[in-house]
Amino acid sequence: MPVPVPQQRSAPAAETSHGDLTLLVIEDDPAGTTITVPELSAAAGTRVRIRTARNPPAAGRLPPADVDSIRLARARPPRGGGGGPATPTADAGTSGAGTGTADSGSPPEPVSERAGELAALTHVLGIAPLHAVLALTAQDDTELAAEAVRVGAQDYLFRGELDARVLSRAIRYAVERKRADIAQHQLTESRLRAQENARLERGLLPTPLLDGSGLSFAARYRPGRSRALLGGDFYDVVRTPDGTVHAMIGDVCGHGPDEAALGVELRIAWRALTLAGLCGDELLSTLQQVLEHERQSEEIFATLCTVDIAPDGRRAGLCLAGHPAPLLARHGLPARLLPYQDGGPALGLLPRARWPRRQVELGGAWSLMLYTDGLIEGRVGSGGSERLGQDGMVAMVNSRLEQGLAGEELLEAAVAEVRELNGGELTDDVAVLLLGRDPERIRRWGGSAPRSHPASVDRPPSPPVRAAGAQRPPL
């Protein structure tokens, strides 16, 4: 016998719209007439279409469009006995949400009577994990009903109390609860995935190797991608055994996950090649080979700026590969851009390009700021039609220097002001690093600086503790 739902006129299948509900009855005796629930249709504001299937395999052969809304199934008692109550199962859903399958059939030989009674429900849950499930039990069998909910059903019904009103409530409740369960599961998975990505991206950010150099270090990093910690910008700073400090900052065109991965590869390659003794044109030529091999398209290129600071800290070699020139501030003088006329092309543009190395004088006390174009390409002005540009950045930094800002405070204020001038979040990645030399500070630390730390993402790290009366570096 089918589930005893009041029988009245059924809505023709042709009248059933995409948002209407379908009731699939799976039974051992399909001789019963089609069951309709007009009261349910009136309460829900939709029509209900009825389908029947002789057994679960027959139900599985129905077209998805015929079974994706609501199904109600009835199971017979476990095989090998007949004394136990039947355990019909049903599931409900909406075609718009992609939920609503149910299945039922003859369970395998049960290990116990209760296990056999739940076998049909377990079968339904196994083949339809994304659908709401209702369990139909014998009258007053509350223990079996509670067990059905515990193993995965969204609700249960007692056969003797089944009518249109109760069925309408149960279907609505089961569908909404399943939707909430799926949403919660997806949210949990998303959070776990975000945590894993965050741990991975933090691990890919560089740890400066500056011990014994006597130089100060600060950095600020802000990816342009939403909810990301890593973008296409990259940087690194290392000190080689001969005492030379090498600094690099670069930018892969674009700011998606592929560009971020390529930026990490280039940074790691740069560190390995630098520690192996390469510098200047030879280093950049090798990096271009890495880029050409690893990029997904020939249109991908990367800009790069490298600086190698002599062991005495007073001179540096500069190489530019299509990248903005660094900003240098000497003690007591305004910040200015280093020469950039002799720079070479970006990596990946010309197959046999050359990148001349230019010697620059730093002086005794100085600060050097390397940055990516995300810092200078933000909009300014009321109409937002103009870019900040390098000249605007220099003026902004000098204004902050006049206010007495330096180090992390200066970088944080600069990025915040660029964002404010842009009228909101910057769409491009931003990376800024600051190297400084202060003879007073070097003497105070006995010829070396405190241990450097990786740059902060989204918020800067705490500035190093300064001794009372210590003079700040120019930047």
Side-chain angles (χ1 to χ4, degrees):
M1 295 291 294
V3 177
V5 179
Q7 298 188 28
Q8 300 204 14
R9 190 183 73 84
S10 173
E15 298 177 8
T16 304
S17 66
H18 180 72
D20 292 342
L21 304 178
T22 300
L23 182 67
L24 175 62
V25 179
I26 305 173
E27 50 185 333
D28 292 329
D29 180 13
T33 58
T34 301
I35 300 173
T36 61
V37 189
E39 293 85 350
L40 177 61
S41 299
T46 56
R47 291 183 294 270
V48 177
R49 183 170 58 148
I50 307 300
R51 298 300 303 269
T52 61
R54 181 185 301 272
N55 49 43
R61 290 192 293 271
L62 290 175
D66 289 343
V67 297
D68 65 353
S69 295
I70 292 182
R71 300 185 187 181
L72 182 64
R74 172 183 178 273
R76 61 184 180 183
R79 191 171 301 187
T87 312
T89 62
D91 66 0
T94 61
S95 58
T99 60
T101 65
D103 228 327
S104 177
S106 301
E109 190 69 26
V111 177
S112 64
E113 182 175 313
R114 181 53 51 86
E117 293 168 350
L118 292 173
L121 174 61
T122 304
H123 180 65
V124 170
L125 295 171
I127 65 174
L130 300 179
H131 301 80
V133 176
L134 292 173
L136 183 62
T137 68
Q139 181 69 19
D140 298 331
D141 193 349
T142 55
E143 183 179 351
L144 179 60
E147 183 71 9
V149 173
R150 186 191 67 80
V151 299
Q154 274 65 57
D155 201 357
Y156 62 86
L157 295 170
F158 292 134
R159 189 179 311 155
E161 298 178 356
L162 187 65
D163 57 29
R165 181 185 61 83
V166 173
L167 181 59
S168 174
R169 179 207 65 83
I171 289 176
R172 287 172 175 270
Y173 176 82
V175 170
E176 296 305 322
R177 181 176 178 182
K178 188 61 180 180
R179 284 174 175 169
D181 290 344
I182 292 176
Q184 182 62 38
H185 179 72
Q186 292 174 341
L187 179 61
T188 300
E189 284 188 337
S190 178
R191 286 174 176 172
L192 291 175
R193 193 179 305 114
Q195 291 173 1
E196 291 178 356
N197 291 341
R199 287 194 295 269
L200 174 62
E201 292 180 0
R202 287 193 186 97
L204 294 175
L205 290 173
T207 301
L209 302 179
L210 285 174
D211 290 348
S213 68
L215 302 182
S216 62
F217 171 86
R220 191 75 171 90
Y221 193 93
R222 181 186 293 272
R225 287 187 297 140
S226 176
R227 298 188 299 274
L229 294 179
L230 200 64
D233 291 1
F234 55 98
Y235 69 91
D236 204 352
V237 182
V238 297
R239 180 175 182 262
T240 49
D242 64 354
T244 303
V245 172
H246 301 262
M248 171 271 291
I249 194 165
D251 181 6
V252 177
C253 64
H255 47 268
D258 293 335
E259 289 78 9
L262 182 56
V264 171
E265 292 182 79
L266 291 175
R267 181 188 67 79
I268 295 175
W270 177 87
R271 174 174 285 201
L273 294 171
T274 299
L275 293 176
L278 274 68
C279 185
D281 181 77
E282 184 181 10
L283 172 60
L284 293 178
S285 298
T286 309
L287 280 180
Q288 175 158 281
Q289 296 179 32
V290 174
L291 171 66
E292 292 172 344
H293 184 269
E294 297 295 335
R295 63 185 177 183
Q296 296 183 344
S297 168
E298 292 184 357
E299 298 177 354
I300 300 297
F301 63 90
T303 65
L304 198 69
C305 169
T306 66
V307 176
D308 55 280
I309 303 171
D312 63 4
R314 304 185 66 89
R315 303 175 310 279
L318 172 66
C319 287
L320 295 176
H323 200 87
L327 189 66
L328 174 66
R330 294 190 178 95
H331 183 67
L333 297 176
R336 63 176 180 85
L337 294 174
L338 289 180
Y340 52 86
Q341 292 81 3
D342 297 333
L347 303 181
L349 291 183
L350 300 177
R352 289 178 292 275
R354 288 294 178 261
W355 296 271
R357 177 178 176 273
R358 180 165 187 155
Q359 189 80 9
V360 294
E361 294 294 328
L362 300 178
W366 50 264
S367 287
L368 188 65
M369 189 174 82
L370 285 67
Y371 54 93
T372 58
D373 58 6
L375 187 68
I376 60 177
E377 291 189 348
R379 302 288 181 176
V380 296
S382 57
S385 59
E386 298 181 3
R387 301 281 188 180
L388 175 65
Q390 288 181 291
D391 292 339
M393 180 199 65
V394 173
M396 178 188 66
V397 169
N398 282 323
S399 175
R400 296 295 181 176
L401 289 174
E402 293 175 358
Q403 299 174 8
L405 298 183
E408 294 283 358
E409 296 175 351
L410 175 67
L411 295 188
E412 176 64 16
V415 174
E417 184 172 353
V418 170
R419 180 180 177 275
E420 181 180 354
L421 291 172
N422 190 62
E425 289 293 343
L426 300 169
T427 57
D428 198 4
D429 306 324
V430 176
V432 190
L433 66 88
L434 192 65
L435 290 170
R437 183 178 187 271
D438 183 2
E440 291 293 333
R441 184 170 181 265
I442 294 174
R443 284 193 292 269
R444 184 169 64 253
W445 288 97
S448 64
R451 183 179 298 274
S452 301
H453 299 280
S456 171
V457 178
D458 290 337
R459 62 183 181 87
S462 300
V465 178
R466 299 182 176 90
Q471 185 181 11
R472 288 182 173 180
L475 285 183

